[in-house]
Amino acid sequence: MKVVYIANTCEHVVRPLCDGLYSEYGDDFTFIETMELDKNRAGIGCLESRPYIFNAIGKEAEAKKLCTEADVVIFCGVPLDYISERIAQNKLTIYYSERMFKKGFYRYFNPITMKKVRKRFVKPSKNSNFHLLCASSFAALDFHRVGAFRNKMYKWGYQIAVYEKDIDALINEKPQDGLEFVWVGRLVALKHCDDAIRVIAKLKSAGYRPRMTVIGSGEEEEKLKALVKELGVEECINFKGTCKIDETRAQMDKANIFMFTSDFGEGWGATLNECMNSACACVANHAAGSTNFLIEDKVDGLVYKNGDVEALYQKVKYLVDHKEVRERIARNAYDKMINEWNPAKSYKRIVELIDSLLKTGDCTTYERGPCSKAVPVKQNWYKN
């Protein structure tokens, strides 16, 4: 069976899946890159070569031929002409996507947007062999609203590499006071590092001695440093800038708590995967794309309503004050990453999904987790 995955670049958030597909299909699996990866991202480990990567620059005709002749194509964010022929032939094609309308569904009613969406998704999805792999818990909502992929949507997200560790040692090596925090991400407005800083300030005012390492850089950096000074928490917060993956993961391993503060603009948020794998107790914004898929509230993480910094503070403080709860949640989070959202294992679900779709046009093998059916999740899904 010939399987093709085509996207702009083979980034680190999809490479574990591609490695798994290559181990399954061998040379019958090809990843087609349509662009060169930004060399500035070399520091986070995105540029390793792989034998299955085919770069389409200057070889577009060959790439289109590979797409047309494959038994199945998974595609993401590439021009429609790469897959238009196979769509016309109703050959199995799986679109891998975050949500379409991060900034609001009203954008669909722009005539240009509406025409594009109908041409690219609504009309093709009427074919029985065109399906959606959701890289956001809100993707199903957006596509359902426009009448695309109904009952043909499956959960996936971004599954990055996870590491199996001695969980007892990992937990025991974290500070016993529960006050070691990590925050990771680009320093941009939608990720709301400022909310995490305000929580650290409130903890200090309440008599605690919190310590937070901020990893990342971006346009908000100076503004955030000014906020730290304004709130008088310079001794509590360390800005480390952009770090390599190994250094970042080591810092996550040391942390007790991760505040995942991104809003609806966050398509997924792979730092949540990483911190759960590092046995951090995570307090996650309900608006981020990965939260609904990854977190079961009060079981393997805590959820708070977007914008409610007081709720974020109260939940963080509860974890600090209740060591047994914090460690139980951290263990459950680690277990979920190892056993359910581990790409080294769950790529086999993609293989089974492909087989089932080729044979029956549907897949109902899994009740939860990767490749289970994705249903529309309303933006106000979190009520507590």
Side-chain angles (χ1 to χ4, degrees):
M1 180 187 300
K2 293 191 179 296
V3 177
V4 166
Y5 190 137
I6 180 169
N8 289 333
T9 56
C10 191
E11 296 193 75
H12 69 292
V13 292
V14 297
R15 289 200 176 192
L17 166 60
C18 293
D19 289 345
L21 293 176
Y22 183 67
S23 71
E24 181 72 23
Y25 299 111
D27 291 339
D28 284 335
F29 172 69
T30 303
F31 186 101
I32 300 175
E33 282 188 330
T34 60
M35 297 173 58
E36 292 283 359
L37 187 62
D38 181 358
K39 299 300 188 293
N40 291 327
R41 304 197 68 185
I44 62 170
C46 299
L47 297 178
E48 303 92 340
S49 63
R50 292 291 195 276
Y52 51 75
I53 296 178
F54 173 87
N55 192 283
I57 297 176
K59 304 174 185 176
E60 289 81 2
E62 188 176 347
K64 291 175 185 177
K65 187 172 185 289
L66 286 169
C67 289
T68 300
E69 294 179 350
D71 295 288
V72 57
V73 167
I74 302 170
F75 80 101
C76 176
V78 298
L80 198 61
D81 55 359
Y82 279 101
I83 52 117
S84 57
E85 183 62 29
R86 67 178 298 109
I87 292 291
Q89 296 176 16
N90 197 27
K91 300 179 74 172
L92 181 58
T93 307
I94 302 172
Y95 180 50
Y96 180 32
S97 178
E98 295 181 3
R99 68 180 311 181
M100 286 190 292
F101 305 112
K102 292 179 183 179
K103 296 183 179 180
F105 184 65
Y106 72 90
R107 289 173 175 264
Y108 173 64
F109 299 101
N110 178 299
I112 296 175
T113 301
M114 185 179 294
K115 182 178 180 180
K116 181 179 177 181
V117 168
R118 288 178 174 176
K119 178 183 178 181
R120 190 173 177 87
F121 306 118
V122 179
K123 185 177 178 181
S125 70
K126 296 185 185 301
N127 291 345
S128 59
N129 279 324
F130 196 37
H131 300 261
L132 178 69
L133 204 58
C134 296
S136 167
S137 57
F138 298 112
L141 174 67
D142 285 355
F143 284 99
H144 180 85
R145 280 175 163 177
V146 301
F149 300 110
R150 291 187 175 177
N151 202 38
K152 296 192 295 180
M153 299 183 279
Y154 299 89
K155 295 180 181 180
W156 187 258
Y158 290 122
Q159 291 200 49
I160 58 164
V162 302
Y163 303 102
E164 295 196 30
K165 305 166 185 176
D166 181 333
I167 184 59
D168 292 326
L170 185 58
I171 292 289
N172 291 335
E173 288 171 4
K174 295 175 185 285
Q176 296 301 298
D177 62 7
L179 287 166
E180 188 71 34
F181 294 82
V182 66
W183 191 98
V184 183
R186 289 178 296 119
L187 300 181
V188 294
L190 71 88
K191 292 182 182 282
H192 297 283
C193 182
D194 57 312
D195 288 349
I197 291 170
R198 289 187 172 90
V199 168
I200 295 299
K202 289 171 74 70
L203 285 170
K204 181 187 176 187
S205 295
Y208 297 88
R209 299 181 66 183
R211 306 168 297 278
M212 185 168 74
T213 300
V214 176
I215 297 176
S217 58
E219 61 197 41
E220 294 278 302
E221 185 168 351
E222 294 308 313
K223 181 179 177 181
L224 292 168
K225 288 179 177 178
L227 178 64
V228 166
K229 185 174 182 180
E230 176 187 334
L231 296 176
V233 287
E234 296 98 322
E235 76 279 12
C236 301
I237 298 175
N238 177 29
F239 287 85
K240 292 196 71 171
T242 301
C243 298
K244 292 185 177 181
I245 288 177
D246 289 348
E247 186 178 355
T248 299
R249 296 299 293 264
Q251 193 65 48
M252 291 173 174
D253 286 351
K254 296 175 185 177
N256 302 110
I257 296 171
F258 169 56
M259 288 181 274
F260 183 44
T261 50
S262 296
D263 63 26
F264 288 108
E266 183 74 82
W268 180 254
T271 52
L272 183 57
N273 301 61
E274 292 170 328
C275 286
M276 291 175 73
N277 182 215
S278 288
C280 295
C282 300
V283 186
N285 190 329
H286 95 282
S290 58
T291 299
N292 182 271
F293 278 5
L294 296 185
I295 297 290
E296 183 177 354
D297 193 30
K298 302 182 180 68
V299 176
D300 44 40
L302 298 180
V303 181
Y304 73 98
K305 189 175 180 180
N306 180 48
D308 192 343
V309 179
E310 178 61 25
L312 172 61
Y313 166 68
Q314 291 296 336
K315 296 192 178 200
V316 166
K317 182 174 179 296
Y318 181 81
L319 291 176
V320 171
D321 291 340
H322 295 83
K323 179 182 176 183
E324 71 288 353
V325 176
R326 183 177 73 243
E327 293 188 352
R328 173 179 56 80
I329 284 175
R331 287 176 182 274
N332 288 342
Y334 172 85
D335 184 70
K336 179 175 277 189
M337 288 299 105
I338 293 298
N339 294 308
E340 187 172 302
W341 289 88
N342 181 347
K345 298 177 181 179
S346 59
Y347 83 86
K348 294 180 180 179
R349 292 192 177 200
I350 290 282
V351 173
E352 293 183 7
L353 174 70
I354 289 170
D355 288 343
S356 183
L357 293 178
L358 284 170
K359 291 174 183 177
T360 70
D362 194 17
C363 182
T364 57
T365 305
Y366 304 103
E367 293 184 1
R368 54 179 286 173
C371 296
S372 61
K373 282 289 183 74
V375 298
V377 174
K378 292 184 178 180
Q379 293 197 162
N380 64 347
W381 65 271
Y382 183 69
K383 300 297 184 182
N384 192 355

